[in-house]
Amino acid sequence: MNSVRRRELEYHEKLYSGFAQSHFARPAVRALRRHMVDRIRELTGASPESRVLSLGCGIGDTELLLAPHVAELTGVDLSPAAIRQARADAGALAIRNARFEEGGIGGIAEGRYDIVIAIFFLHHLPDDELAALPHRLKDILAPGGVFYSLDPSRHRLSGAVGRLLIPNLMKKYQTADERELEPAATAELFRRAGLDARVEIYDFGSSPLAGLFPGWAAGYRMARAMDDRLLRVPLLRRRGSNFELIVRT
Ligand SMILES: C[S@@+](CC[C@H](N)C(=O)[O-])C[C@H]1O[C@@H](n2cnc3c(N)ncnc32)[C@H](O)[C@@H]1O
């Protein structure tokens, strides 16, 4: 295992030993996850026939909300603690079309998936693995398949403000190797592999607010409604927090 992966594993094993489970169960974070799932369904066209793969699925809280809307869902993650939790939650919720496996993109069957999602995952990959991913995706996706990712943007205003006001908290929630990504340059990696990639901006302040005030669901919903207006302003859109890639074969 390379050193980045070892550090990622160590950090996430700790994160998933209790904190993530309780933080992600809070009302504002749940509301954010529901919004993400609606967005994934809208942008990928996920349907009851879709076979979905999630890369870096963590404890599967987004995936278990998505599973009832698709034919089958597979989540993979480096962290055994995450996979244990995802399996336990799938069992407790009696969700039978989702399975969770330890690992990465290496051992995935070819041509199997209509949709591949990666939520807050790409920015954890080292540059060489990120550059290789689009080529691997071409093998994994079925003809006409779609890839959807969501990651922090290097241009986000919330990141600059956070580093200024709450630098220690920001560090606590980040691994040593993750970094914000440049949206256009990331899309270009997929285009260079012969894929059709477009960028959307997901949010401005609503997701950071859910992270800071996880118990305040009404606050999240207000901020989300405000984001939908703010993101129509080109300058604010450019300084949005997280960007989406929608990639088609
Ligand atoms: C920021 S977390 C996001 C988890 C989840 N998608 C979510 O939205 O909460 C990044 C995840 O990627 C996983 N990860 C990091 N590098 C990986 C790799 N090379 N292969 C598979 N999973 C990896 C970590 O274990 C972690 O669960």
Side-chain angles (χ1 to χ4, degrees), residues 155-168:
H155 306 297
R156 63 183 178 155
L157 186 62
S158 60
V161 172
R163 278 189 291 276
L164 198 70
L165 299 181
I166 44 166
N168 292 336

PDB file of all heavy atoms in Angstrom, residues 155-168:
ATOM      1  N   HIS A 155     -11.554  27.382  -5.839  1.00  0.00           N
ATOM      2  CA  HIS A 155     -11.956  28.803  -5.847  1.00  0.00           C
ATOM      3  C   HIS A 155     -12.970  29.131  -4.756  1.00  0.00           C
ATOM      4  O   HIS A 155     -13.503  30.234  -4.726  1.00  0.00           O
ATOM      5  CB  HIS A 155     -12.570  29.161  -7.207  1.00  0.00           C
ATOM      6  CG  HIS A 155     -11.676  28.811  -8.351  1.00  0.00           C
ATOM      7  ND1 HIS A 155     -10.441  29.382  -8.523  1.00  0.00           N
ATOM      8  CD2 HIS A 155     -11.824  27.925  -9.369  1.00  0.00           C
ATOM      9  CE1 HIS A 155      -9.867  28.866  -9.606  1.00  0.00           C
ATOM     10  NE2 HIS A 155     -10.685  27.979 -10.129  1.00  0.00           N
ATOM     11  N   ARG A 156     -13.288  28.203  -3.886  1.00  0.00           N
ATOM     12  CA  ARG A 156     -14.417  28.425  -2.972  1.00  0.00           C
ATOM     13  C   ARG A 156     -14.112  29.508  -1.927  1.00  0.00           C
ATOM     14  O   ARG A 156     -13.031  29.510  -1.317  1.00  0.00           O
ATOM     15  CB  ARG A 156     -14.847  27.131  -2.290  1.00  0.00           C
ATOM     16  CG  ARG A 156     -13.813  26.492  -1.406  1.00  0.00           C
ATOM     17  CD  ARG A 156     -14.306  25.178  -0.843  1.00  0.00           C
ATOM     18  NE  ARG A 156     -13.261  24.578  -0.034  1.00  0.00           N
ATOM     19  CZ  ARG A 156     -13.470  23.723   0.943  1.00  0.00           C
ATOM     20  NH1 ARG A 156     -14.685  23.337   1.234  1.00  0.00           N
ATOM     21  NH2 ARG A 156     -12.479  23.230   1.626  1.00  0.00           N
ATOM     22  N   LEU A 157     -15.087  30.393  -1.774  1.00  0.00           N
ATOM     23  CA  LEU A 157     -14.940  31.463  -0.793  1.00  0.00           C
ATOM     24  C   LEU A 157     -14.986  30.887   0.624  1.00  0.00           C
ATOM     25  O   LEU A 157     -14.258  31.326   1.514  1.00  0.00           O
ATOM     26  CB  LEU A 157     -16.075  32.486  -0.986  1.00  0.00           C
ATOM     27  CG  LEU A 157     -15.991  33.745  -0.129  1.00  0.00           C
ATOM     28  CD1 LEU A 157     -14.732  34.537  -0.463  1.00  0.00           C
ATOM     29  CD2 LEU A 157     -17.218  34.625  -0.353  1.00  0.00           C
ATOM     30  N   SER A 158     -15.815  29.860   0.820  1.00  0.00           N
ATOM     31  CA  SER A 158     -15.954  29.279   2.164  1.00  0.00           C
ATOM     32  C   SER A 158     -14.618  28.716   2.665  1.00  0.00           C
ATOM     33  O   SER A 158     -14.323  28.761   3.852  1.00  0.00           O
ATOM     34  CB  SER A 158     -17.014  28.184   2.169  1.00  0.00           C
ATOM     35  OG  SER A 158     -16.641  27.157   1.276  1.00  0.00           O
ATOM     36  N   GLY A 159     -13.783  28.208   1.742  1.00  0.00           N
ATOM     37  CA  GLY A 159     -12.485  27.663   2.135  1.00  0.00           C
ATOM     38  C   GLY A 159     -11.568  28.767   2.622  1.00  0.00           C
ATOM     39  O   GLY A 159     -10.896  28.628   3.652  1.00  0.00           O
ATOM     40  N   ALA A 160     -11.567  29.892   1.884  1.00  0.00           N
ATOM     41  CA  ALA A 160     -10.699  31.022   2.260  1.00  0.00           C
ATOM     42  C   ALA A 160     -11.137  31.585   3.616  1.00  0.00           C
ATOM     43  O   ALA A 160     -10.304  31.841   4.495  1.00  0.00           O
ATOM     44  CB  ALA A 160     -10.771  32.097   1.182  1.00  0.00           C
ATOM     45  N   VAL A 161     -12.458  31.726   3.802  1.00  0.00           N
ATOM     46  CA  VAL A 161     -12.972  32.265   5.068  1.00  0.00           C
ATOM     47  C   VAL A 161     -12.666  31.291   6.217  1.00  0.00           C
ATOM     48  O   VAL A 161     -12.227  31.688   7.289  1.00  0.00           O
ATOM     49  CB  VAL A 161     -14.500  32.535   4.964  1.00  0.00           C
ATOM     50  CG1 VAL A 161     -15.089  32.901   6.305  1.00  0.00           C
ATOM     51  CG2 VAL A 161     -14.769  33.632   3.935  1.00  0.00           C
ATOM     52  N   GLY A 162     -12.879  30.005   5.956  1.00  0.00           N
ATOM     53  CA  GLY A 162     -12.633  28.979   6.982  1.00  0.00           C
ATOM     54  C   GLY A 162     -11.173  28.959   7.422  1.00  0.00           C
ATOM     55  O   GLY A 162     -10.877  28.871   8.609  1.00  0.00           O
ATOM     56  N   ARG A 163     -10.268  29.040   6.439  1.00  0.00           N
ATOM     57  CA  ARG A 163      -8.827  29.007   6.787  1.00  0.00           C
ATOM     58  C   ARG A 163      -8.447  30.202   7.646  1.00  0.00           C
ATOM     59  O   ARG A 163      -7.581  30.133   8.500  1.00  0.00           O
ATOM     60  CB  ARG A 163      -7.978  28.973   5.510  1.00  0.00           C
ATOM     61  CG  ARG A 163      -7.840  27.572   4.933  1.00  0.00           C
ATOM     62  CD  ARG A 163      -6.825  27.511   3.812  1.00  0.00           C
ATOM     63  NE  ARG A 163      -7.270  28.220   2.626  1.00  0.00           N
ATOM     64  CZ  ARG A 163      -8.052  27.697   1.696  1.00  0.00           C
ATOM     65  NH1 ARG A 163      -8.483  26.460   1.800  1.00  0.00           N
ATOM     66  NH2 ARG A 163      -8.414  28.398   0.640  1.00  0.00           N
ATOM     67  N   LEU A 164      -9.177  31.320   7.423  1.00  0.00           N
ATOM     68  CA  LEU A 164      -8.885  32.541   8.179  1.00  0.00           C
ATOM     69  C   LEU A 164      -9.476  32.478   9.591  1.00  0.00           C
ATOM     70  O   LEU A 164      -8.813  32.786  10.577  1.00  0.00           O
ATOM     71  CB  LEU A 164      -9.509  33.722   7.417  1.00  0.00           C
ATOM     72  CG  LEU A 164      -9.018  35.113   7.749  1.00  0.00           C
ATOM     73  CD1 LEU A 164      -7.583  35.274   7.229  1.00  0.00           C
ATOM     74  CD2 LEU A 164      -9.925  36.167   7.091  1.00  0.00           C
ATOM     75  N   LEU A 165     -10.739  32.024   9.696  1.00  0.00           N
ATOM     76  CA  LEU A 165     -11.452  32.112  10.980  1.00  0.00           C
ATOM     77  C   LEU A 165     -11.336  30.852  11.845  1.00  0.00           C
ATOM     78  O   LEU A 165     -11.282  30.947  13.065  1.00  0.00           O
ATOM     79  CB  LEU A 165     -12.942  32.411  10.735  1.00  0.00           C
ATOM     80  CG  LEU A 165     -13.262  33.723  10.011  1.00  0.00           C
ATOM     81  CD1 LEU A 165     -14.761  33.885   9.868  1.00  0.00           C
ATOM     82  CD2 LEU A 165     -12.663  34.927  10.758  1.00  0.00           C
ATOM     83  N   ILE A 166     -11.343  29.690  11.211  1.00  0.00           N
ATOM     84  CA  ILE A 166     -11.332  28.440  11.995  1.00  0.00           C
ATOM     85  C   ILE A 166     -10.306  27.454  11.422  1.00  0.00           C
ATOM     86  O   ILE A 166     -10.648  26.333  11.047  1.00  0.00           O
ATOM     87  CB  ILE A 166     -12.745  27.791  12.021  1.00  0.00           C
ATOM     88  CG1 ILE A 166     -13.391  27.821  10.612  1.00  0.00           C
ATOM     89  CG2 ILE A 166     -13.643  28.419  13.047  1.00  0.00           C
ATOM     90  CD1 ILE A 166     -14.615  26.935  10.456  1.00  0.00           C
ATOM     91  N   PRO A 167      -9.026  27.874  11.367  1.00  0.00           N
ATOM     92  CA  PRO A 167      -8.017  27.025  10.708  1.00  0.00           C
ATOM     93  C   PRO A 167      -7.866  25.654  11.362  1.00  0.00           C
ATOM     94  O   PRO A 167      -7.712  24.651  10.657  1.00  0.00           O
ATOM     95  CB  PRO A 167      -6.718  27.850  10.821  1.00  0.00           C
ATOM     96  CG  PRO A 167      -6.975  28.857  11.900  1.00  0.00           C
ATOM     97  CD  PRO A 167      -8.452  29.111  11.918  1.00  0.00           C
ATOM     98  N   ASN A 168      -7.973  25.593  12.696  1.00  0.00           N
ATOM     99  CA  ASN A 168      -7.748  24.299  13.354  1.00  0.00           C
ATOM    100  C   ASN A 168      -8.877  23.317  13.079  1.00  0.00           C
ATOM    101  O   ASN A 168      -8.651  22.125  12.856  1.00  0.00           O
ATOM    102  CB  ASN A 168      -7.560  24.485  14.867  1.00  0.00           C
ATOM    103  CG  ASN A 168      -6.256  25.210  15.141  1.00  0.00           C
ATOM    104  OD1 ASN A 168      -5.344  25.174  14.314  1.00  0.00           O
ATOM    105  ND2 ASN A 168      -6.175  25.899  16.276  1.00  0.00           N
TER     106      ASN A 168
END
